[in-house]
Amino acid sequence: MNWPVTGLEDDMRPRMFALAGDARPFALATIVAADGGPRPVGAQMVIGEEGQWGFLSGGCIEDDVALHGRSVIAGGEPRHLVYGRGSPFIDMRLPCGGRIEVLVERVLPGDPALAELERLATERTPALWRSDGILRSCRPAVTGAGAGEDPADIAGSHARLFLPPQRLIVIGSDPFALAIAALGRQMGWEVLLAAPGGPAAPAPFDLDCDRRPLPTVIEQAGLDRWTALALATHDVELDHGVLAAALRSEAHYVGALGSRTRLADRLDLLREAGVPEDRIARLRAPIGLDLGARSPWEIGIAVIAEIIADAAANRMPGG
């Protein structure tokens, strides 16, 4: 028995795209109903002919789902599995005493819905995925007031809303910046370390590092509502332009490292730059939850936790 490291993966899209890109079929297992259990409706696993990723419970059902998944890959017919109350698998009990229903379907390379899902993910556009186990559809998600069921959707299908992946832009090159970026990457987020004056050597922790001028980085990054920006530098005057641009953007989180004693100077510079007060109020400074953090890793944990909390508070329904 191996440690369930692959269960740490939550977003199954990269796995699906990679398998399809290698012309390999796979089974997609999705929780379509749940009463109790640690995972919500919409949680997924990907099962390949070799290997499995993601998890649906606390390790109680994953191996059994994988066995069904490989049978689905071979035979093509989807399966609707029930675990817990009312399940035919009487030898498999859920510790929570609840009930989980799982749809297991085969997805072939070249599936049009999967190709559309990948296109929308690349464009960072929310996507509505629907499937009845045999037929699948994917289209840009309609959100906000007036959003509802599309009559063209597959009758009797299950829907899953895919939001753009969380993106984190960290500006800086000191240990605090490295810790924030490294923890974000470990979370599975899209992370960019922006360090114009940083070392020429490759960044540690397999981080992508952009050494271009900061205005260019910010302009081309496209700070959408699924992007967090963490400013981990120590020069209030040089960085206030980047901070002003970030606060005016759609980025859901903007935080800045620095002492409370210099915060007033930073706010004054933002006002002089014409940033509206309601936008200035979005600034998280000092950055991170107040955990009493001092070391780089502690600061990194505080920042990542604050970003998670902010994203959850601003997440659209169904996300």
Side-chain angles (χ1 to χ4, degrees):
M1 179 178 179
N2 294 324
W3 290 100
V5 177
T6 56
L8 295 174
E9 298 180 28
D10 186 52
D11 186 347
M12 292 293 100
R13 285 174 290 184
R15 288 291 178 185
M16 290 193 281
F17 302 154
L19 288 168
D22 290 339
R24 296 164 62 188
F26 61 88
L28 178 64
T30 306
I31 295 180
V32 296
D35 180 10
R39 300 288 283 156
V41 171
Q44 294 179 316
M45 277 182 65
V46 166
I47 302 104
E49 294 168 325
E50 298 177 3
Q52 63 197 60
W53 303 270
F55 86 110
L56 304 179
S57 186
C60 314
I61 66 172
E62 282 71 17
D63 287 344
D64 189 68
V65 172
L67 287 174
H68 285 283
R70 293 188 179 102
S71 295
V72 168
I73 293 173
E77 287 296 318
R79 297 189 182 184
H80 187 277
L81 309 176
V82 177
Y83 297 96
R85 294 195 309 271
S87 171
F89 311 123
I90 59 174
D91 58 335
M92 300 183 64
R93 299 292 183 185
L94 299 180
C96 63
R99 174 187 172 95
I100 297 175
E101 299 181 33
V102 180
L103 173 66
V104 184
E105 60 189 302
R106 182 176 70 174
V107 182
L108 299 176
D111 184 286
L114 184 63
E116 180 67 0
L117 181 64
E118 184 169 15
R119 183 186 72 81
L120 294 173
T122 301
E123 295 179 356
R124 296 185 61 79
T125 299
L128 183 65
W129 170 280
R130 283 191 173 274
S131 176
D132 64 358
I134 299 175
L135 299 176
R136 281 167 290 279
S137 70
C138 184
R139 59 172 173 78
V142 179
T143 60
E149 296 297 317
D150 186 334
D153 284 333
I154 302 166
S157 63
H158 300 281
R160 208 283 196 186
L161 178 63
F162 286 94
L163 296 179
Q166 174 70 53
R167 181 169 56 187
L168 171 62
I169 298 175
V170 181
I171 298 176
S173 58
D174 72 1
F176 292 108
L178 291 177
I180 296 168
L183 289 170
R185 180 170 176 78
Q186 193 162 3
M187 288 288 296
W189 297 350
E190 295 180 0
V191 178
L192 175 65
L193 181 65
F205 309 114
D206 199 26
L207 292 167
D208 291 329
C209 184
D210 194 328
R211 295 177 177 81
R212 295 176 299 170
L214 291 180
T216 301
V217 174
I218 297 303
E219 180 181 355
Q220 296 188 8
L223 304 186
D224 58 30
R225 57 181 293 195
W226 299 279
T227 297
L229 183 138
L231 186 64
T233 59
H234 306 277
D235 194 321
V236 172
E237 293 186 0
L238 288 178
D239 296 334
H240 79 274
V242 170
L243 199 57
L247 289 170
R248 289 190 179 102
S249 76
E250 293 185 356
H252 76 86
Y253 176 93
V254 180
L257 191 70
S259 66
R260 296 182 187 277
T261 57
R262 299 203 66 187
L263 180 57
D265 294 338
R266 191 186 292 277
L267 298 182
D268 286 342
L269 287 170
L270 291 172
R271 293 186 183 101
E272 291 175 11
V275 180
E277 288 294 332
D278 62 330
R279 289 284 168 169
I280 294 176
R282 299 174 58 225
L283 176 63
R284 304 299 183 94
I287 198 170
L289 296 181
D290 187 4
L291 305 178
R294 291 294 181 268
S295 74
W297 288 116
E298 290 174 344
I299 295 291
I301 290 169
V303 173
I304 296 300
E306 189 171 52
I307 292 171
I308 292 171
D310 190 84
N314 290 283
R315 188 174 295 142
M316 70 177 66

